Amino acid sequence: MGRGDGRGRVVSPEGADDSGTRILHVDMDAFYAAVEVMHDASLAGLPLIIGAPDGRSVVSSASYEARRYGVRAAMPVAQAIRLCPSARIVPPHFERYQTVSRQVMAVFESITPLVEPLSVDEAFLDVQGVRRLWGSPGEIARLVRARVESEVGITCSVGVAATKHVAKMASTLCKPDGMLIIPESQTIEFLSPRSVRAMWGVGPKAADALEARGIRTIGDIREAPQDMLDRAVGPALGFRIAALSRGVDHRAVDTDRVEKSIGHEETFDVDITDRETLHAELLRLADRVAARLRKAGWECASVAIKVRFDDFTTLSRSQTLSEPTSVGQRMGEAAQMLFDTIDRRDPVRLIGVRAEKLRPAGGGAFALWDDDEHWRKVEGALDDARARFGSATITRARHLGRGEGRGAPKHPKSHGLQ
């Protein structure tokens, strides 16, 4: 499969067996930090934290030098600084990242038309149809790595496998600047010893539930009775991880770009500075958007936010989700994280949440979720209640009285849900 190259990287050797493979998962290495180094070579080799210096903000990304101290994306900047006091704080420049992302995706699309971006810095490629042009999947992976480095100026890691799930796991294991090929015949051998936490779509709560029952590896999942998995993580996720533990993943690389979107935004009577109020408002708007998605039979693959400040400066941020969703909780958490990447603390006049890249609900063969089964049931029950009693009668308890005296929009009297 792969081996170390003497510099701490995992790189499958020249001529490694890539039989039965067709999917590449390509992931840029510390993308935001790498782009900042491209623009300022003096930052090379330094521990970098990409984020606002304000201690209330979160880390957007970190260089590998900073990650060695335990710094991770989505960590509060104040905590990151405590872990790595010598780190250089660099404010994010999202326009730069978008520009470089377009260059990276252009490299991918020049090799195969079957490209599925997951975010600005990663994508799946199906290379089965271009083998006569470029060679075997392993050879194409080497070509991708070489061209990204020579034409764009940054490094990437590539997982090569028969399925999307295994390819993504492989790219994670070989970072940074590595390549790991998993031939189809060795899929089970590769999966069996890996932690359940390494599975794409198994979040911390689901992993805790599995480990509490002695299910610690993917091999354990494969050997566990189905009813035990169902009790641990729910029937839907239990069925999915059982299939994935056996290497079964029928999802194809999806190049469909549905440019429809659904969104809600709110203009405040008085500009808002309180972060807790703004976080709550993002969740409330995400709930409204999600309800419309479910009513229309759609899911979104991307969440975007819009923020207008008191000087009428308007910023937008977006994030591609690991799996399409119509769950308001998931969308709200994504919206809150996007908001925390904005380093301005000026009063906010308007805020909005939009679901983008819509597709029919349930369109994927396996929709891997981070323990969302509970929220799907809760929000489905809310849909039923609103249909019977009206949309203004049901809301989360945290929204009751939210923002009174602080200029937030006043909401109708409603019944609360914790």
Side-chain angles (χ1 to χ4, degrees):
M1 296 183 196
R3 64 191 181 199
D5 69 348
R7 291 186 288 169
R9 304 180 306 168
V10 174
V11 181
S12 290
E14 196 81 34
D17 180 11
D18 58 6
S19 58
T21 65
R22 65 181 298 160
I23 305 296
L24 275 56
H25 180 260
V26 189
D27 197 359
M28 301 303 110
D29 298 318
F31 180 60
Y32 289 4
V35 173
E36 295 300 337
V37 171
M38 286 175 60
H39 285 265
D40 183 356
S42 70
L43 298 175
L46 299 180
L48 303 180
I49 294 173
I50 311 302
D54 187 331
R56 295 177 300 175
S57 66
V58 298
V59 176
S60 295
S61 182
S63 66
Y64 285 100
E65 290 81 2
R67 295 183 192 192
R68 296 190 186 105
Y69 292 85
V71 177
R72 295 291 182 267
M75 174 184 289
V77 168
Q79 180 183 357
I81 292 173
R82 288 195 295 271
L83 291 171
C84 185
S86 62
R88 178 83 65 87
I89 309 297
V90 180
H93 299 92
F94 292 100
E95 294 77 10
R96 287 180 186 172
Y97 310 148
Q98 292 288 349
T99 297
V100 177
S101 175
R102 287 191 289 270
Q103 296 171 2
V104 169
M105 298 301 166
V107 171
F108 299 163
E109 290 166 358
S110 71
I111 293 173
T112 174
L114 299 181
V115 177
E116 179 186 349
L118 293 182
S119 64
V120 294
D121 64 341
E122 61 175 322
F124 286 114
L125 283 64
D126 187 328
V127 299
Q128 181 67 20
V130 295
R131 296 184 59 167
R132 288 188 178 181
L133 185 62
W134 303 112
S136 72
E139 291 170 331
I140 295 172
R142 291 185 177 85
L143 174 65
V144 168
R145 294 181 64 221
R147 286 190 55 186
V148 168
E149 185 166 13
S150 64
E151 298 177 24
V152 183
I154 57 178
T155 63
C156 64
S157 298
V158 185
V160 184
T163 67
K164 294 171 78 172
H165 178 241
V166 176
K168 185 167 175 63
M169 286 184 63
S171 70
T172 300
L173 286 169
C174 69
K175 293 181 75 68
D177 192 19
M179 181 182 72
L180 183 56
I181 299 172
I182 310 299
E184 186 176 27
S185 63
Q186 296 182 35
T187 296
I188 299 300
E189 178 185 345
F190 168 77
L191 289 172
S192 291
R194 311 293 169 194
S195 168
V196 296
R197 297 178 182 272
M199 296 186 80
W200 183 32
V202 174
K205 290 183 180 179
D208 289 344
L210 291 168
E211 291 175 348
R213 292 163 172 81
I215 303 171
R216 300 185 177 279
T217 68
I218 298 176
D220 293 336
I221 292 176
R222 191 168 57 252
E223 299 299 326
Q226 188 64 52
D227 62 344
M228 180 184 290
L229 298 177
D230 294 348
R231 288 195 301 270
V233 298
L237 185 56
F239 173 79
R240 292 165 194 146
I241 63 175
L244 292 172
S245 73
R246 295 171 171 81
V248 178
D249 180 4
H250 297 299
R251 292 171 301 165
V253 169
D254 181 9
T255 61
D256 187 23
R257 296 290 172 265
V258 180
E259 296 300 334
K260 298 177 181 178
S261 64
I262 292 176
H264 281 288
E265 58 187 42
E266 194 73 59
T267 300
F268 303 121
D269 294 331
V270 178
D271 297 339
I272 303 293
T273 57
D274 182 72
R275 307 288 289 187
E276 182 182 357
T277 297
L278 293 168
H279 269 219
E281 185 66 11
L282 287 166
L283 182 57
R284 185 183 73 85
L285 293 170
D287 281 339
R288 292 180 64 190
V289 172
R292 287 181 61 190
L293 287 174
R294 293 191 295 271
K295 185 176 180 180
W298 292 96
E299 294 175 332
C300 70
S302 179
V303 171
I305 65 169
K306 175 181 177 181
V307 182
R308 180 169 296 151
F309 296 98
D310 58 341
D311 63 355
F312 287 88
T313 299
T314 303
L315 301 178
S316 61
R317 299 286 184 266
S318 65
Q319 175 185 336
T320 298
L321 304 173
S322 61
E323 296 288 344
T325 188
S326 60
V327 175
Q329 182 72 20
R330 172 74 65 185
M331 295 168 59
E333 290 171 355
Q336 290 167 346
M337 289 186 64
L338 286 168
F339 180 72
D340 286 340
T341 65
I342 297 175
D343 57 7
R344 289 186 59 161
R345 294 296 182 268
D346 307 275
V348 173
R349 175 184 178 84
L350 173 149
I351 203 161
V353 175
R354 180 166 293 277
E356 299 180 334
K357 298 182 182 176
L358 307 189
R359 61 192 69 188
F366 293 97
L368 297 179
W369 289 106
D370 188 0
D371 203 24
D372 278 348
E373 185 70 15
H374 167 72
W375 282 110
R376 282 197 292 277
K377 291 179 179 178
V378 169
E379 294 182 17
L382 287 180
D383 292 341
D384 293 339
R386 289 176 180 130
R388 292 182 61 191
F389 303 114
S391 61
T393 61
I394 306 292
T395 189
R396 296 173 186 260
R398 73 186 68 182
H399 298 327
L400 294 177
R402 169 63 62 188
E404 291 183 8
R406 288 187 281 188
K410 305 300 188 294
H411 307 308
K413 292 182 180 179
S414 54
H415 302 292
L417 170 74
Q418 292 285 3

